[in-house]
Amino acid sequence: MFAIAYYVVSMIRCTTVKKETAPNQVKRREMTDFTNYNVDFKTPEDTKVEMCKIIQSTHLNKYGHLSSGQLLKWVDISACLAAEKLAGRPCVTLSVDDLYFEDKVHVGEIISLVSGVNRAFNTSMEVGVEVKKENDDGTRKLICCAFLTFVAINGAGKKVKLPPFQFKSSSEKACFTLAEERRRVRIAHSKTMKVLLDSYEDSNHPCASDIRRKVVKGLCTRVESVELVLPQHANHHGNTFGGQIMEWMEGISSISAVRFAKGAIALRSVDMIHFRGPSQVGDRIVLRALVNHATRNSIEVGVRVEAYNCENGNMGEIRHINSAFFIFESTLTLPLLDPTGTEDGTRRHREAIARAKIRLDRRYILSSQRVEKLSVKLNRSNVMYLRLNNLSCLSDLASKSDWKNVSNDENLTLSTREQNGVLFFKVSKKLSSSRVTDFHAFNILSNPLVRKNWDPLMISCEKLSKDIGEDDCVFRTMMRSGMNDDDDKKNEFILLYSHRKPTRKGDSYIIAMRSVVSEDDHNKDGDNYNRMEVACAGFIIHQDPGQNTEISYYNETNPKMVRYVTSDVAGFSKLYSVVYSKMEKYLIDSI
Ligand code: COA
Ligand code: ADP
C-alpha cells in the first residue's frame, strides 16, 4: 500500500513544489508554436489549486466513512479548477486513471486536495491530484492519488488548443516527462485489454472449499437508475461535471455490490474511466450496474451510463457516455457468482478476470521502485507498465536534488546519493567536441549492440525480443564488473531498453534500462554467468543552445560493482573516466 503511495506521490509531487520565480502572465492566448522560447508560458506552480474539506455527516456512506462517490466528485472539481487555470476557459474531464483508495476518512476529519497540471499536450492536459487527511498530531496520510485528463473546450463544446506550458524545476520536469508515458498507457488501454483477452484461458474453476459457498446469480445483482441533470450538476456552459457522473456511478455500483455481498463492503479501486461524450443540463442519465466477477473477498461491478434528452416531447438519441468498473472489498467470505444468468454474463466474467490481471500487473509494477525480486516477466499485457516504470524510475532518480558531487575530472563528474540503504551513482560528461549533437549521441547510446565498440566492460550483447513498440526492446548483455576481473564469472543482464526522444526543443533524450525476464530468454549456459539485476539505470542526454552535449549515466550499485564505484570515488582508480573517454572518442569517430 505504501509502496504505491510513495510512487504516486513522487509522480505528482510537482503539484506541491515551491515556485522558483513569480508567476508568468499569459499574454498571448492563441499560441501555435510551443517550442518557441520567446513566449510567456504558465508553469505547474501557476496551475496549483488547494481545497480543504471537513467531513460532515452528509458526506458519509452508511458505514460512517466518507463516501467514495463524494471524494471522486471533489477530486474532479479540484482537478478541473487546475485545468481551467491553465486553459483560461472551460475544461471537461476526458479520463480518470486507475484510482486506489488507501485509507478511510471519518466524520470530523479534515482532508486536503492539491491539484496541478503536470503537462499540456495540444488540446488535452494531465492533471495530478493528491488527497491527504490531516491527523490530530499534524501528520498527513495519503488517501488517494489521481491522474485526470482534461480537454479545453469552446462555447460550442469543441476542443481548443491550450496555451504554452513549461516546467521549471527538475521535479516538475520528471512529472512532465512521465505524463507523456502515462498518456501512451491511457491511449493503449483498450488495445492492451484486447490483447490480453485474445490470449486468455479459463482456469478459474471453483476449488473444493467453494462448494460450501452460497451461489448468487449475476442477474440478481442488476440495478438500474435514472438521474436528471440539473444546473447544480453542471458547469456554466451546462456540461455535466465528470465528478457528478462518477458519484452517481459509485452509488449504483455499491447497491449492486451490496445485493451480492449481503454484508459490509468498501470501494477499493476504480478502473480507468473514459468519458466518451458530453451530457448537458436537462439530460436524463440512465445508469445500469451488475456484478461481473467476484473472488473470495473482492467484487467487480460494471456500470454502463447512457444519456438522452426528451425535450419537445420526443425521446432523443440515446448516447453511451461511459462504462466503468468498480472494485469493492469485503472482510467476509463472499458468495460464489454464477454469471451465466445474463445474456452477456459469461463474456463479462471473462473480461473482468482479464481486467483483474491488468490491475495487478499495473499496481505491482508501478509500485516496484525497489522490491526483493526486481525482474518481472515481460509479456504483452504488462509491457506498457514496465515501460512506464522504466522511464519513471530514471526520471525520478535524475530529478533528485540530493546528489553529492564526489569527484571532478576532465569534464567528468561523479556523484552519488543514498536511498533506503542503496547507493546510486551518476557519471556526467560534458563532451569536449561541439560536433557531437545530443541527437547523434542518442542514436549511438540507445543501441546497445554497438556498445562493445566503446565500452571495454561489455563482453557481448544480443537482441532477445522483437521490438515491443517503436522505442523499446529487450537485450541480453554480458558485462565485466571492472577492467581486470577476467577470472570472475561474467555478469549477465536481461534489460528492457526504453528510449525516448524529446517532444520539444530543449528537452532531454532519455534511455532507460531495467531488468526484466523475457519470454525469449533461453540461456543454457547459466553456470558460467552471474545473473544480475538492476532496477534503474540509463542515460540522459542534454544539449543547451550553443553548448556542448552533456551525457549523464545513472545506475544503482550492486555488490559486484560497488568496489569499482568506491575506488573511483576515493580516487584509487579511474574506471569511469576511461570508459567515458572511449565513449567520447567513439561518438566523434562515428559522426
Ligand atoms: N487518453 C488520454 N487522452 C486522450 C484519449 C485517452 N484515452 N483519447 C483522446 N485523447 C486526447 C487526444 O489525444 C486529444 O488530445 P491532444 O489534442 O492534446 O492531442 C484530445 O484528447 C481530444 O481527443 P479527440 O479524440 O480528438 O477528441 P474529440 O474532438 O473527438 O472530442 C471531447 C473531445 C473532450 C470534446 C469529447 O470526447 C467529449 O465531449 N467527451 C466528454 C467530456 C465530458 O463531457 N466529460 C464530463 C462528463 S460527461
Ligand atoms: P460490456 O457489456 O462489454 O462489459 P458495456 O459498456 O455495455 O460493456 O457495459 C459495462 C458494464 O456495465 C458491464 O460489464 C455490466 O457490468 C454493466 N452493464 C451493461 N449493461 C447492463 C445492463 N443492461 N444492466 C445492468 N448492467 C449492465
Side-chain angles (χ1 to χ4, degrees), residues 221-224 276 288-292 300-305 320 322-325 344 347-348 351 355:
T221 67
R222 188 177 175 280
V223 190
E224 178 167 333
R276 302 159 54 107
R288 295 191 184 88
L290 190 71
V291 173
N292 287 333
E300 185 204 270
V301 182
V303 187
R304 183 182 167 96
V305 185
H320 181 191
N322 75 23
S323 294
F325 301 94
D344 292 316
R347 173 185 58 82
R348 287 180 181 145
E351 290 178 0
R355 274 190 295 273

PDB file of all heavy atoms in Angstrom, residues 221-224 276 288-292 300-305 320 322-325 344 347-348 351 355, ligand 2:
ATOM      1  N   THR A 221     -28.001  -9.223  -9.201  1.00  0.00           N
ATOM      2  CA  THR A 221     -27.257  -8.037  -8.740  1.00  0.00           C
ATOM      3  C   THR A 221     -27.516  -6.840  -9.652  1.00  0.00           C
ATOM      4  O   THR A 221     -26.912  -5.786  -9.488  1.00  0.00           O
ATOM      5  CB  THR A 221     -25.739  -8.321  -8.727  1.00  0.00           C
ATOM      6  OG1 THR A 221     -25.305  -8.484 -10.093  1.00  0.00           O
ATOM      7  CG2 THR A 221     -25.397  -9.572  -7.948  1.00  0.00           C
ATOM      8  N   ARG A 222     -28.403  -7.003 -10.609  1.00  0.00           N
ATOM      9  CA  ARG A 222     -28.632  -5.941 -11.600  1.00  0.00           C
ATOM     10  C   ARG A 222     -29.384  -4.767 -10.969  1.00  0.00           C
ATOM     11  O   ARG A 222     -30.354  -4.963 -10.255  1.00  0.00           O
ATOM     12  CB  ARG A 222     -29.430  -6.520 -12.767  1.00  0.00           C
ATOM     13  CG  ARG A 222     -29.555  -5.583 -13.920  1.00  0.00           C
ATOM     14  CD  ARG A 222     -30.286  -6.207 -15.089  1.00  0.00           C
ATOM     15  NE  ARG A 222     -30.464  -5.208 -16.122  1.00  0.00           N
ATOM     16  CZ  ARG A 222     -31.407  -4.291 -16.099  1.00  0.00           C
ATOM     17  NH1 ARG A 222     -32.272  -4.247 -15.126  1.00  0.00           N
ATOM     18  NH2 ARG A 222     -31.484  -3.383 -17.064  1.00  0.00           N
ATOM     19  N   VAL A 223     -28.894  -3.548 -11.237  1.00  0.00           N
ATOM     20  CA  VAL A 223     -29.542  -2.336 -10.730  1.00  0.00           C
ATOM     21  C   VAL A 223     -29.675  -1.358 -11.887  1.00  0.00           C
ATOM     22  O   VAL A 223     -28.774  -1.263 -12.733  1.00  0.00           O
ATOM     23  CB  VAL A 223     -28.678  -1.637  -9.640  1.00  0.00           C
ATOM     24  CG1 VAL A 223     -29.473  -0.532  -8.959  1.00  0.00           C
ATOM     25  CG2 VAL A 223     -28.158  -2.612  -8.617  1.00  0.00           C
ATOM     26  N   GLU A 224     -30.785  -0.644 -11.910  1.00  0.00           N
ATOM     27  CA  GLU A 224     -30.942   0.415 -12.919  1.00  0.00           C
ATOM     28  C   GLU A 224     -31.463   1.652 -12.211  1.00  0.00           C
ATOM     29  O   GLU A 224     -32.291   1.558 -11.303  1.00  0.00           O
ATOM     30  CB  GLU A 224     -31.915  -0.044 -14.014  1.00  0.00           C
ATOM     31  CG  GLU A 224     -32.133   1.048 -15.041  1.00  0.00           C
ATOM     32  CD  GLU A 224     -32.838   0.575 -16.311  1.00  0.00           C
ATOM     33  OE1 GLU A 224     -32.729  -0.621 -16.657  1.00  0.00           O
ATOM     34  OE2 GLU A 224     -33.466   1.431 -16.956  1.00  0.00           O
ATOM     35  N   ARG A 276     -16.771   9.256 -23.027  1.00  0.00           N
ATOM     36  CA  ARG A 276     -16.843   9.185 -24.497  1.00  0.00           C
ATOM     37  C   ARG A 276     -17.521  10.404 -25.096  1.00  0.00           C
ATOM     38  O   ARG A 276     -17.247  10.771 -26.241  1.00  0.00           O
ATOM     39  CB  ARG A 276     -17.638   7.947 -24.900  1.00  0.00           C
ATOM     40  CG  ARG A 276     -17.053   6.655 -24.364  1.00  0.00           C
ATOM     41  CD  ARG A 276     -18.095   5.568 -24.327  1.00  0.00           C
ATOM     42  NE  ARG A 276     -18.718   5.382 -25.613  1.00  0.00           N
ATOM     43  CZ  ARG A 276     -18.522   4.357 -26.423  1.00  0.00           C
ATOM     44  NH1 ARG A 276     -17.701   3.398 -26.061  1.00  0.00           N
ATOM     45  NH2 ARG A 276     -19.142   4.264 -27.562  1.00  0.00           N
ATOM     46  N   ARG A 288     -26.787   1.678 -15.374  1.00  0.00           N
ATOM     47  CA  ARG A 288     -27.105   0.251 -15.164  1.00  0.00           C
ATOM     48  C   ARG A 288     -25.860  -0.442 -14.620  1.00  0.00           C
ATOM     49  O   ARG A 288     -24.760  -0.222 -15.138  1.00  0.00           O
ATOM     50  CB  ARG A 288     -27.506  -0.420 -16.476  1.00  0.00           C
ATOM     51  CG  ARG A 288     -28.791   0.134 -17.053  1.00  0.00           C
ATOM     52  CD  ARG A 288     -29.302  -0.717 -18.198  1.00  0.00           C
ATOM     53  NE  ARG A 288     -30.482  -0.114 -18.779  1.00  0.00           N
ATOM     54  CZ  ARG A 288     -30.472   0.791 -19.760  1.00  0.00           C
ATOM     55  NH1 ARG A 288     -29.328   1.184 -20.283  1.00  0.00           N
ATOM     56  NH2 ARG A 288     -31.598   1.282 -20.224  1.00  0.00           N
ATOM     57  N   ALA A 289     -26.065  -1.254 -13.597  1.00  0.00           N
ATOM     58  CA  ALA A 289     -24.899  -1.910 -12.975  1.00  0.00           C
ATOM     59  C   ALA A 289     -25.181  -3.382 -12.714  1.00  0.00           C
ATOM     60  O   ALA A 289     -26.339  -3.789 -12.577  1.00  0.00           O
ATOM     61  CB  ALA A 289     -24.554  -1.214 -11.670  1.00  0.00           C
ATOM     62  N   LEU A 290     -24.089  -4.128 -12.623  1.00  0.00           N
ATOM     63  CA  LEU A 290     -24.174  -5.580 -12.492  1.00  0.00           C
ATOM     64  C   LEU A 290     -22.831  -6.094 -11.973  1.00  0.00           C
ATOM     65  O   LEU A 290     -21.788  -5.569 -12.365  1.00  0.00           O
ATOM     66  CB  LEU A 290     -24.375  -6.099 -13.916  1.00  0.00           C
ATOM     67  CG  LEU A 290     -24.736  -7.530 -14.191  1.00  0.00           C
ATOM     68  CD1 LEU A 290     -26.182  -7.780 -13.755  1.00  0.00           C
ATOM     69  CD2 LEU A 290     -24.627  -7.783 -15.687  1.00  0.00           C
ATOM     70  N   VAL A 291     -22.878  -7.122 -11.117  1.00  0.00           N
ATOM     71  CA  VAL A 291     -21.605  -7.726 -10.690  1.00  0.00           C
ATOM     72  C   VAL A 291     -21.100  -8.611 -11.833  1.00  0.00           C
ATOM     73  O   VAL A 291     -21.819  -9.489 -12.310  1.00  0.00           O
ATOM     74  CB  VAL A 291     -21.778  -8.558  -9.398  1.00  0.00           C
ATOM     75  CG1 VAL A 291     -20.501  -9.320  -9.073  1.00  0.00           C
ATOM     76  CG2 VAL A 291     -22.154  -7.654  -8.240  1.00  0.00           C
ATOM     77  N   ASN A 292     -19.873  -8.363 -12.281  1.00  0.00           N
ATOM     78  CA  ASN A 292     -19.298  -9.151 -13.376  1.00  0.00           C
ATOM     79  C   ASN A 292     -18.472 -10.320 -12.869  1.00  0.00           C
ATOM     80  O   ASN A 292     -18.375 -11.359 -13.508  1.00  0.00           O
ATOM     81  CB  ASN A 292     -18.370  -8.284 -14.227  1.00  0.00           C
ATOM     82  CG  ASN A 292     -19.148  -7.296 -15.080  1.00  0.00           C
ATOM     83  OD1 ASN A 292     -20.303  -7.540 -15.426  1.00  0.00           O
ATOM     84  ND2 ASN A 292     -18.521  -6.178 -15.413  1.00  0.00           N
ATOM     85  N   GLU A 300     -16.084  -7.176  -8.648  1.00  0.00           N
ATOM     86  CA  GLU A 300     -16.032  -6.153  -9.704  1.00  0.00           C
ATOM     87  C   GLU A 300     -17.452  -5.868 -10.174  1.00  0.00           C
ATOM     88  O   GLU A 300     -18.165  -6.774 -10.609  1.00  0.00           O
ATOM     89  CB  GLU A 300     -15.203  -6.610 -10.907  1.00  0.00           C
ATOM     90  CG  GLU A 300     -15.102  -5.455 -11.904  1.00  0.00           C
ATOM     91  CD  GLU A 300     -14.825  -5.843 -13.342  1.00  0.00           C
ATOM     92  OE1 GLU A 300     -13.651  -5.928 -13.711  1.00  0.00           O
ATOM     93  OE2 GLU A 300     -15.814  -6.018 -14.100  1.00  0.00           O
ATOM     94  N   VAL A 301     -17.842  -4.596 -10.080  1.00  0.00           N
ATOM     95  CA  VAL A 301     -19.159  -4.187 -10.587  1.00  0.00           C
ATOM     96  C   VAL A 301     -18.930  -3.323 -11.825  1.00  0.00           C
ATOM     97  O   VAL A 301     -18.116  -2.399 -11.799  1.00  0.00           O
ATOM     98  CB  VAL A 301     -19.947  -3.373  -9.528  1.00  0.00           C
ATOM     99  CG1 VAL A 301     -21.334  -3.015 -10.069  1.00  0.00           C
ATOM    100  CG2 VAL A 301     -20.061  -4.137  -8.228  1.00  0.00           C
ATOM    101  N   GLY A 302     -19.631  -3.650 -12.901  1.00  0.00           N
ATOM    102  CA  GLY A 302     -19.556  -2.828 -14.118  1.00  0.00           C
ATOM    103  C   GLY A 302     -20.757  -1.903 -14.174  1.00  0.00           C
ATOM    104  O   GLY A 302     -21.857  -2.272 -13.756  1.00  0.00           O
ATOM    105  N   VAL A 303     -20.526  -0.690 -14.676  1.00  0.00           N
ATOM    106  CA  VAL A 303     -21.620   0.281 -14.805  1.00  0.00           C
ATOM    107  C   VAL A 303     -21.612   0.832 -16.230  1.00  0.00           C
ATOM    108  O   VAL A 303     -20.554   1.191 -16.750  1.00  0.00           O
ATOM    109  CB  VAL A 303     -21.432   1.478 -13.838  1.00  0.00           C
ATOM    110  CG1 VAL A 303     -22.663   2.380 -13.865  1.00  0.00           C
ATOM    111  CG2 VAL A 303     -21.148   1.021 -12.425  1.00  0.00           C
ATOM    112  N   ARG A 304     -22.777   0.860 -16.828  1.00  0.00           N
ATOM    113  CA  ARG A 304     -22.896   1.482 -18.146  1.00  0.00           C
ATOM    114  C   ARG A 304     -23.764   2.726 -17.999  1.00  0.00           C
ATOM    115  O   ARG A 304     -24.820   2.684 -17.358  1.00  0.00           O
ATOM    116  CB  ARG A 304     -23.539   0.490 -19.125  1.00  0.00           C
ATOM    117  CG  ARG A 304     -23.637   1.022 -20.542  1.00  0.00           C
ATOM    118  CD  ARG A 304     -24.327   0.025 -21.453  1.00  0.00           C
ATOM    119  NE  ARG A 304     -24.678   0.655 -22.707  1.00  0.00           N
ATOM    120  CZ  ARG A 304     -23.944   0.608 -23.814  1.00  0.00           C
ATOM    121  NH1 ARG A 304     -22.819  -0.064 -23.820  1.00  0.00           N
ATOM    122  NH2 ARG A 304     -24.338   1.220 -24.905  1.00  0.00           N
ATOM    123  N   VAL A 305     -23.305   3.839 -18.580  1.00  0.00           N
ATOM    124  CA  VAL A 305     -24.028   5.108 -18.443  1.00  0.00           C
ATOM    125  C   VAL A 305     -24.471   5.597 -19.816  1.00  0.00           C
ATOM    126  O   VAL A 305     -23.653   5.686 -20.743  1.00  0.00           O
ATOM    127  CB  VAL A 305     -23.121   6.189 -17.791  1.00  0.00           C
ATOM    128  CG1 VAL A 305     -23.908   7.468 -17.527  1.00  0.00           C
ATOM    129  CG2 VAL A 305     -22.493   5.670 -16.513  1.00  0.00           C
ATOM    130  N   HIS A 320     -24.157   6.730 -25.466  1.00  0.00           N
ATOM    131  CA  HIS A 320     -23.350   5.983 -24.489  1.00  0.00           C
ATOM    132  C   HIS A 320     -22.291   6.950 -23.953  1.00  0.00           C
ATOM    133  O   HIS A 320     -21.371   7.332 -24.676  1.00  0.00           O
ATOM    134  CB  HIS A 320     -22.712   4.775 -25.201  1.00  0.00           C
ATOM    135  CG  HIS A 320     -21.878   3.923 -24.300  1.00  0.00           C
ATOM    136  ND1 HIS A 320     -21.041   2.935 -24.775  1.00  0.00           N
ATOM    137  CD2 HIS A 320     -21.741   3.886 -22.953  1.00  0.00           C
ATOM    138  CE1 HIS A 320     -20.438   2.352 -23.768  1.00  0.00           C
ATOM    139  NE2 HIS A 320     -20.835   2.912 -22.652  1.00  0.00           N
ATOM    140  N   ASN A 322     -20.359   6.618 -20.854  1.00  0.00           N
ATOM    141  CA  ASN A 322     -19.165   5.865 -20.467  1.00  0.00           C
ATOM    142  C   ASN A 322     -19.523   4.528 -19.808  1.00  0.00           C
ATOM    143  O   ASN A 322     -20.692   4.260 -19.544  1.00  0.00           O
ATOM    144  CB  ASN A 322     -18.202   6.679 -19.584  1.00  0.00           C
ATOM    145  CG  ASN A 322     -18.652   6.854 -18.167  1.00  0.00           C
ATOM    146  OD1 ASN A 322     -19.439   6.071 -17.671  1.00  0.00           O
ATOM    147  ND2 ASN A 322     -18.160   7.879 -17.519  1.00  0.00           N
ATOM    148  N   SER A 323     -18.492   3.722 -19.610  1.00  0.00           N
ATOM    149  CA  SER A 323     -18.628   2.459 -18.886  1.00  0.00           C
ATOM    150  C   SER A 323     -17.474   2.409 -17.903  1.00  0.00           C
ATOM    151  O   SER A 323     -16.362   2.825 -18.245  1.00  0.00           O
ATOM    152  CB  SER A 323     -18.506   1.274 -19.840  1.00  0.00           C
ATOM    153  OG  SER A 323     -19.591   1.280 -20.728  1.00  0.00           O
ATOM    154  N   ALA A 324     -17.762   1.938 -16.706  1.00  0.00           N
ATOM    155  CA  ALA A 324     -16.690   1.933 -15.706  1.00  0.00           C
ATOM    156  C   ALA A 324     -16.789   0.681 -14.842  1.00  0.00           C
ATOM    157  O   ALA A 324     -17.829   0.021 -14.813  1.00  0.00           O
ATOM    158  CB  ALA A 324     -16.803   3.178 -14.833  1.00  0.00           C
ATOM    159  N   PHE A 325     -15.668   0.389 -14.161  1.00  0.00           N
ATOM    160  CA  PHE A 325     -15.599  -0.833 -13.362  1.00  0.00           C
ATOM    161  C   PHE A 325     -15.075  -0.484 -11.973  1.00  0.00           C
ATOM    162  O   PHE A 325     -14.009   0.119 -11.842  1.00  0.00           O
ATOM    163  CB  PHE A 325     -14.712  -1.860 -14.073  1.00  0.00           C
ATOM    164  CG  PHE A 325     -15.252  -2.184 -15.438  1.00  0.00           C
ATOM    165  CD1 PHE A 325     -14.799  -1.501 -16.561  1.00  0.00           C
ATOM    166  CD2 PHE A 325     -16.275  -3.101 -15.595  1.00  0.00           C
ATOM    167  CE1 PHE A 325     -15.343  -1.746 -17.813  1.00  0.00           C
ATOM    168  CE2 PHE A 325     -16.828  -3.349 -16.842  1.00  0.00           C
ATOM    169  CZ  PHE A 325     -16.359  -2.673 -17.956  1.00  0.00           C
ATOM    170  N   ASP A 344     -24.969 -11.576 -21.559  1.00  0.00           N
ATOM    171  CA  ASP A 344     -23.531 -11.384 -21.799  1.00  0.00           C
ATOM    172  C   ASP A 344     -22.679 -11.775 -20.596  1.00  0.00           C
ATOM    173  O   ASP A 344     -21.493 -11.467 -20.556  1.00  0.00           O
ATOM    174  CB  ASP A 344     -23.264  -9.909 -22.102  1.00  0.00           C
ATOM    175  CG  ASP A 344     -23.857  -9.489 -23.422  1.00  0.00           C
ATOM    176  OD1 ASP A 344     -23.708 -10.240 -24.396  1.00  0.00           O
ATOM    177  OD2 ASP A 344     -24.475  -8.420 -23.454  1.00  0.00           O
ATOM    178  N   ARG A 347     -19.229 -13.641 -21.018  1.00  0.00           N
ATOM    179  CA  ARG A 347     -18.214 -12.775 -21.641  1.00  0.00           C
ATOM    180  C   ARG A 347     -17.708 -11.731 -20.646  1.00  0.00           C
ATOM    181  O   ARG A 347     -16.510 -11.511 -20.485  1.00  0.00           O
ATOM    182  CB  ARG A 347     -18.811 -12.086 -22.875  1.00  0.00           C
ATOM    183  CG  ARG A 347     -17.902 -11.041 -23.488  1.00  0.00           C
ATOM    184  CD  ARG A 347     -18.558 -10.289 -24.640  1.00  0.00           C
ATOM    185  NE  ARG A 347     -19.788  -9.607 -24.295  1.00  0.00           N
ATOM    186  CZ  ARG A 347     -19.848  -8.403 -23.716  1.00  0.00           C
ATOM    187  NH1 ARG A 347     -18.731  -7.773 -23.393  1.00  0.00           N
ATOM    188  NH2 ARG A 347     -21.004  -7.842 -23.434  1.00  0.00           N
ATOM    189  N   ARG A 348     -18.643 -11.111 -19.939  1.00  0.00           N
ATOM    190  CA  ARG A 348     -18.234 -10.061 -18.989  1.00  0.00           C
ATOM    191  C   ARG A 348     -17.400 -10.644 -17.856  1.00  0.00           C
ATOM    192  O   ARG A 348     -16.457 -10.011 -17.381  1.00  0.00           O
ATOM    193  CB  ARG A 348     -19.470  -9.375 -18.418  1.00  0.00           C
ATOM    194  CG  ARG A 348     -20.127  -8.469 -19.434  1.00  0.00           C
ATOM    195  CD  ARG A 348     -21.339  -7.801 -18.845  1.00  0.00           C
ATOM    196  NE  ARG A 348     -21.991  -6.953 -19.830  1.00  0.00           N
ATOM    197  CZ  ARG A 348     -23.298  -6.791 -19.902  1.00  0.00           C
ATOM    198  NH1 ARG A 348     -24.095  -7.421 -19.079  1.00  0.00           N
ATOM    199  NH2 ARG A 348     -23.810  -5.989 -20.823  1.00  0.00           N
ATOM    200  N   GLU A 351     -13.969 -11.090 -19.208  1.00  0.00           N
ATOM    201  CA  GLU A 351     -13.283  -9.800 -19.352  1.00  0.00           C
ATOM    202  C   GLU A 351     -12.886  -9.236 -17.997  1.00  0.00           C
ATOM    203  O   GLU A 351     -11.845  -8.592 -17.856  1.00  0.00           O
ATOM    204  CB  GLU A 351     -14.184  -8.813 -20.107  1.00  0.00           C
ATOM    205  CG  GLU A 351     -14.323  -9.215 -21.566  1.00  0.00           C
ATOM    206  CD  GLU A 351     -15.253  -8.308 -22.366  1.00  0.00           C
ATOM    207  OE1 GLU A 351     -15.798  -7.350 -21.803  1.00  0.00           O
ATOM    208  OE2 GLU A 351     -15.420  -8.590 -23.555  1.00  0.00           O
ATOM    209  N   ARG A 355      -9.284  -7.941 -16.682  1.00  0.00           N
ATOM    210  CA  ARG A 355      -9.068  -6.620 -16.062  1.00  0.00           C
ATOM    211  C   ARG A 355      -8.379  -6.781 -14.709  1.00  0.00           C
ATOM    212  O   ARG A 355      -7.503  -5.984 -14.356  1.00  0.00           O
ATOM    213  CB  ARG A 355     -10.410  -5.895 -15.862  1.00  0.00           C
ATOM    214  CG  ARG A 355     -10.869  -5.111 -17.077  1.00  0.00           C
ATOM    215  CD  ARG A 355     -12.062  -4.234 -16.755  1.00  0.00           C
ATOM    216  NE  ARG A 355     -13.225  -5.010 -16.406  1.00  0.00           N
ATOM    217  CZ  ARG A 355     -14.114  -5.492 -17.279  1.00  0.00           C
ATOM    218  NH1 ARG A 355     -13.963  -5.252 -18.564  1.00  0.00           N
ATOM    219  NH2 ARG A 355     -15.133  -6.200 -16.869  1.00  0.00           N
TER     220      ARG A 355
HETATM  221  P1  ADP B   2     -19.674  -4.761 -21.712  1.00  0.00           P
HETATM  222  O1  ADP B   2     -21.096  -5.242 -21.755  1.00  0.00           O
HETATM  223  O2  ADP B   2     -18.891  -5.120 -22.920  1.00  0.00           O
HETATM  224  O3  ADP B   2     -18.968  -5.099 -20.437  1.00  0.00           O
HETATM  225  P2  ADP B   2     -20.783  -2.127 -21.548  1.00  0.00           P
HETATM  226  O4  ADP B   2     -20.104  -0.834 -21.765  1.00  0.00           O
HETATM  227  O5  ADP B   2     -22.009  -2.406 -22.341  1.00  0.00           O
HETATM  228  O6  ADP B   2     -19.663  -3.200 -21.776  1.00  0.00           O
HETATM  229  O7  ADP B   2     -21.162  -2.262 -20.012  1.00  0.00           O
HETATM  230  C1  ADP B   2     -20.239  -2.041 -18.970  1.00  0.00           C
HETATM  231  C2  ADP B   2     -20.702  -2.781 -17.754  1.00  0.00           C
HETATM  232  O8  ADP B   2     -21.968  -2.256 -17.321  1.00  0.00           O
HETATM  233  C3  ADP B   2     -20.962  -4.252 -17.996  1.00  0.00           C
HETATM  234  O9  ADP B   2     -19.778  -5.004 -17.840  1.00  0.00           O
HETATM  235  C4  ADP B   2     -22.013  -4.586 -16.964  1.00  0.00           C
HETATM  236  O10 ADP B   2     -21.414  -4.870 -15.722  1.00  0.00           O
HETATM  237  C5  ADP B   2     -22.802  -3.294 -16.829  1.00  0.00           C
HETATM  238  N1  ADP B   2     -23.992  -3.353 -17.677  1.00  0.00           N
HETATM  239  C6  ADP B   2     -24.062  -3.219 -19.024  1.00  0.00           C
HETATM  240  N2  ADP B   2     -25.325  -3.342 -19.468  1.00  0.00           N
HETATM  241  C7  ADP B   2     -26.074  -3.570 -18.377  1.00  0.00           C
HETATM  242  C8  ADP B   2     -27.483  -3.787 -18.147  1.00  0.00           C
HETATM  243  N3  ADP B   2     -28.350  -3.786 -19.163  1.00  0.00           N
HETATM  244  N4  ADP B   2     -27.898  -3.983 -16.902  1.00  0.00           N
HETATM  245  C9  ADP B   2     -27.028  -3.974 -15.868  1.00  0.00           C
HETATM  246  N5  ADP B   2     -25.723  -3.770 -16.004  1.00  0.00           N
HETATM  247  C10 ADP B   2     -25.237  -3.569 -17.229  1.00  0.00           C
END
